[in-house]
Amino acid sequence: MPLTETGLKQPVKANEKDLLKINMPVIPDDQKVEVALKHLNELGEKFRSLMLTFESCVKCGACAENCHTYLGTRDPYNIPANRADLLRKVYKRYFTPEGKFFPGLIGAKDLELEDLEKMYSYFYQCNECRRCSLVCPFGLDTCEATMAGRQLLHWLGMVPKLHASVGAAMAKTGNHTGLPKAATVDTCEFLEEDIMDEIGVDIKIPVDKPADILYIPSSADFMLNPNTMTGAAKFFHYLGVNWTISSEIVEAGNFGLLFDQRATLRANCMRVIDEALKLGIKKVVWGECGHGWRAGKMYLPGMLDRPGRIPIVHIHDEVAYYIEKGALKLNPDSITRPVTLHDPCNFGRACNMCDTLRKVMNASVSNFVEMTPNRERNFCCGGGSAILFDDPEMYDLRIKFSAKKAEQVRATGVDKDGEGILCAPCSICKAQLYPMVEEHKLGVEVKGLIDLVGLSLYPVKHD
Amino acid sequence: MAFIEVSGQQIEVDEDGFLLNPDTWTEDVAKYFCKEEGIDELNDDHWKVIKYLRDYFFQFGIAPMVRKLCKDTGFSLKGIYELFPTGPAKGACKLAGLPKPTGCV
Amino acid sequence: MTYFILQILPYISVAVLTIGLLYRLGRWASGRIVHNITLTPAPTTQTGAVVDIAAEAILFKSLFKADKTLWTGSWIMHMSLFAILGGHVMGIGLLGLQFYYIGLTSAETSEYLSNLLGTSMGIVVLLGLLYLLYRRMAINEVKMISAPSDYLHLLMLIAIITAGNLMRFVPEWGIHYEPVRDYVAHLLTFSAVTPEMEVMHKPVFVIHLLLVQVLMMYLPFSKLLHIPGMFAHRWIINRPYVEPAPGMPGVTVGGSGHNVSGGHSASGEVQ
């Protein structure tokens, strides 16, 4: 990494071995530019949204003050229009008449290896939260430029080690953490005991059982967020439905959306459908994961290679539906601590879930405080698109990206007594907010929404 | 690929400094790592956690859920953080010679 | 030279504008909408989507919510520019008698109103443009992301407007509606412009027209493409939300049965 010496911050790249595990060749440095141009042309021609984003931006700068990465770092390249410009400049230079003849005038430039390194740095500083798209007068989706940029870099073998190893783990075990079946079963048994200890109810978490409902948990729930998994188990148990999880797809996320929207995205989508068909599933219920649900809801239908035709719903929608039907007796009085809600970007701006989140929240807790701005205008947690890097430089950036979030949480006042709950119904948000809460010294505990549903459904008795 | 030298042995590590192969782990490796993870000296409690992690890993192929680690070793989450300031996923796994956890953790 | 600008260039500039726009629109149309990237909350009906997009186009709704100062400047600039374009059609086409024709005023008042509107809008749009230019230079973020062409577009419009305003304010530089109408009629009927026509002897008018034609010619090759681009892109991200999303590749294969997971149509019993 020669350029980090010039101040360019980059996450650790996947090495040759890591790349081979996700079936990517290594492109030597002296061929990268040539290969990149070939791919860029294809990307521009394929995605209308990308071409429009390249050709219609007027550089009004309305996005600058609305991007938390820019607000947190004041780095000019973190202005969404400028970040997209890294790619736009090159695209215009080679693929538009104005860029071919007047590059200097319109700010187009030749592609150099250095630019690719810069793209690698800044496209992995973008959270793909799409707040810039919301505020853009033309609705230009800078996220599309980031996604295309990451796709391009992936094809050049420039992928963060984190994303590449997640891709490899997914292909091998069917989840991002590399959880083999034995560990899944063992963890489920442990959680069953845990539920028994906590509320004295015998609740099973079936694995690989032919059933009506396939629950797709986030694999992070098997590492860091056990209450989200037990919350879902309590919900299904309460309804008395015949449900299961599959050891082949203990993963609600889909990193394909974040670095490779072709092979990886498709393979992960197919995996869900394959498992559902194998277990005779009638309905797939998706767990708490923002980008994963965006992939499952918005991308999956167009990615399948053969008929799926199995309804796919999100667990939040399910809970809201049964609350409305009166089938769930929740005890909001059992959670009296002040709770505020972080709307995950992918739920708010990509999956239309804001109303649902509030329906579930209001039924589950008694002291809910909104943060401002909220719903689709909410700011990202700073970890979006899984830039959960932990080498010191990138970690420092993550914490800066979450400055706006910390400010929002503080303004709600829920952290005053150190008793607050910051509800973040998304695994990436949780993984980002755990350290963020420590670093910004907020008196809140980070929890998922289904955690709260579980607690409210089966209150823990205090003697 | 990077190597670290522990008691005369060359041991291969990845870009994040985690052992590439958990089998190459020795107690000296843990001692070697503890400085960079903010631990002055390894005591019995540290060894208890490290041994537990390694046992679990060789049985199940992955590090255990954090809550299970706490319950089975008898430490609270806070206690684990006191032992391993960089946390169970990063610090403890590194000292135990396990691969770095991936995914949303 | 004047002859070239008035007689030959108009056909070239209209041709370049038309062919250029068709080329750009054709390129856009050849790109696919590969994924469903609708921004939510989204409308669920075509009417809802059209209303949303209209609110964006006419009121700049998103910008209003995001940046009030910029909204004020740019909305005023765009709306007065639009009014001026309309005014040109009315003034030249109907000789400023539009209010008289619809029975609102007398012929004299109509022409007076037409002149008054044209003059005042000319000043308003100039103020709007000057604000945008000031903003581009004064706000650091905007300055950092600006290319030379971003300033040039503004300067070009300012030049066009200034020439227009000069014709309004300096009577001997100005020109009446009628000779211009005759000139346009000549162009439309492909008949030759003659040396004694008044338009040939009004340098400011010739400059005004020249600049407009230059603008028309580079419009399809500049960021001024945001005019059609806005509608094209909003149609991707502000379309009605229905499941499965129509028009996505392969969606009929994977999509059926997915429709129960819609934002508001969520859930059901186990089937």
Side-chain angles (χ1 to χ4, degrees), chain C residues 225-249:
Chain C
L225 277 175
H226 71 273
I227 307 160
M230 177 196 152
F231 293 97
H233 199 268
R234 290 239 170 248
W235 180 240
I236 302 178
I237 67 153
N238 293 118
R239 51 175 45 203
Y241 185 79
V242 281
E243 284 182 357
M248 301 294 148

Side-chain angles (χ1 to χ4, degrees), chain C residues 76 79-91 96-100 102 104-105 108-126 161 164-165 168-169 177:
Chain C
I76 288 178
M79 287 308 132
S80 48
L81 190 61
F82 192 72
I84 287 172
L85 285 176
H88 275 68
V89 176
M90 290 300 163
L97 298 176
Q98 60 272 22
F99 302 112
Y100 168 65
I102 57 171
L104 271 182
T105 60
E108 292 75 36
T109 322
S110 179
E111 203 180 337
Y112 171 74
L113 274 178
S114 191
N115 285 333
L116 184 70
L117 271 174
T119 312
S120 45
M121 283 299 157
I123 295 172
V124 172
V125 74
L126 188 62
I161 300 290
N165 283 350
R168 284 277 182 201
F169 286 111
Y177 295 140

Side-chain angles (χ1 to χ4, degrees), chain A residues 46 48 55 58-60 70 95 98 105 130 137 139 282-283 309 312 317-318 325 348-349 352, chain C residues 24 27-28 31-32 35 37 40 135-136 141 149 223 233-234 237 256-258 261 267-269 271:
Chain A
K46 180 167 182 187
R48 189 190 298 173
E55 296 182 6
V58 298
K59 314 275 180 65
C60 71
Y70 179 67
F95 309 115
E98 61 269 32
L105 184 69
R130 300 175 89 207
K282 291 176 181 148
K283 180 160 75 174
R309 307 196 205 286
I312 303 178
D317 287 329
E318 287 289 282
K325 252 187 91 185
R349 283 185 283 275
N352 200 18
Chain C
R24 282 335 257 253
R27 255 165 65 110
W28 292 349
R32 288 188 297 164
H35 300 302
I37 57 167
T40 62
R135 184 179 174 277
R136 201 165 275 287
E141 283 82 12
S149 59
K223 70 169 189 178
H233 199 268
R234 290 239 170 248
I237 67 153
S256 348
H258 199 261
S261 72
S267 301
E269 304 279 358
Q271 294 162 333

Side-chain angles (χ1 to χ4, degrees), chain A residues 311-462:
Chain A
I312 303 178
V313 299
H314 196 276
I315 190 160
H316 295 149
D317 287 329
E318 287 289 282
V319 174
Y321 172 80
Y322 286 107
I323 288 173
E324 274 185 355
K325 252 187 91 185
L328 291 185
K329 291 230 161 31
L330 290 153
N331 303 280
D333 293 332
S334 65
I335 306 175
T336 51
R337 294 163 63 185
V339 186
T340 189
L341 172 69
H342 161 69
D343 289 86
C345 311
N346 282 302
F347 286 168
R349 283 185 283 275
C351 297
N352 200 18
M353 209 194 265
C354 295
D355 290 337
T356 307
L357 295 178
R358 277 153 187 83
K359 232 176 261 165
V360 176
M361 181 63 92
N362 284 319
S364 307
V365 307
S366 52
N367 188 1
F368 170 46
V369 189
E370 286 275 13
M371 60 171 77
T372 1
N374 54 36
R375 293 178 177 256
E376 75 274 9
R377 302 199 80 78
N378 192 26
F379 281 98
C380 168
C381 62
S385 77
I387 54 169
L388 302 164
F389 309 113
D390 55 10
D391 43 307
E393 242 179 6
M394 297 307 289
Y395 178 81
D396 176 56
L397 277 178
R398 266 169 71 189
I399 299 306
K400 283 182 179 153
F401 293 167
S402 64
K404 188 74 199 177
K405 179 82 334 184
E407 189 187 308
Q408 279 180 283
V409 174
R410 212 165 260 134
T412 61
V414 298
D415 69 319
K416 271 202 311 282
D417 308 323
E419 274 296 292
I421 294 176
L422 171 55
C423 175
C426 158
S427 288
I428 289 181
C429 299
K430 285 174 204 162
Q432 160 74 2
L433 292 174
Y434 289 138
M436 172 286 220
V437 160
E438 297 293 319
E439 300 283 346
H440 290 287
K441 299 194 173 55
L442 297 168
V444 292
E445 188 188 350
V446 178
K447 277 184 183 296
L449 185 56
I450 295 303
D451 307 28
L452 298 174
V453 171
L455 286 170
S456 190
L457 210 49
Y458 292 97
V460 184
K461 295 195 178 55
H462 299 286

Side-chain angles (χ1 to χ4, degrees), chain A residues 3-14:
Chain A
L3 279 155
T4 33
E5 285 149 30
T6 62
L8 209 54
K9 292 172 182 166
Q10 293 184 330
V12 178
K13 279 187 198 130

